[in-house]
Amino acid sequence: MKKSQHSVTNNIRKLRFEHDEMTQQQLADSVKVTRQTIVAIEKEKYSPSLELAFKIAHLFNTPLEEVFSFTPAKD
């Protein structure tokens, strides 16, 4: 199976810090996922669903594209 080369990067850790040093657990509780899911997203090991991405952006009161960036695979 060919591994995908595109990637989703994020600024969640920075945004948490800028929001009263919100913990991963607090963020997880706010968007109704596990802390492990937040850890995986921050480490860019897991791409969130579109719904979760919007929930996180809404929580930080910032546009989605300021939380997540998408880099398409090169041909």
Side-chain angles (χ1 to χ4, degrees):
M1 188 165 139
K2 187 175 180 180
K3 187 175 180 180
S4 174
Q5 297 297 311
H6 61 259
S7 65
V8 175
T9 58
N10 68 79
N11 295 315
I12 294 175
R13 186 175 178 158
K14 177 180 165 235
L15 289 165
R16 285 192 305 103
F17 182 78
E18 292 173 352
H19 285 78
D20 274 344
E21 299 184 18
M22 177 186 290
T23 66
Q24 291 172 330
Q25 186 64 59
Q26 288 170 322
L27 174 58
D29 291 345
S30 295
V31 296
K32 311 276 192 241
V33 296
T34 65
R35 182 181 153 287
Q36 288 76 18
T37 298
I38 299 300
V39 170
I41 293 170
E42 282 189 5
K43 290 183 175 181
E44 300 170 357
K45 304 248 183 234
Y46 171 75
S47 296
S49 68
L50 189 56
E51 180 181 354
L52 178 56
F54 273 106
K55 283 181 178 179
I56 293 169
H58 182 74
L59 180 74
F60 290 125
N61 195 29
T62 192
L64 186 64
E65 61 270 18
E66 289 185 23
V67 180
F68 297 97
S69 300
F70 176 74
T71 304
K74 294 179 182 175
D75 292 329

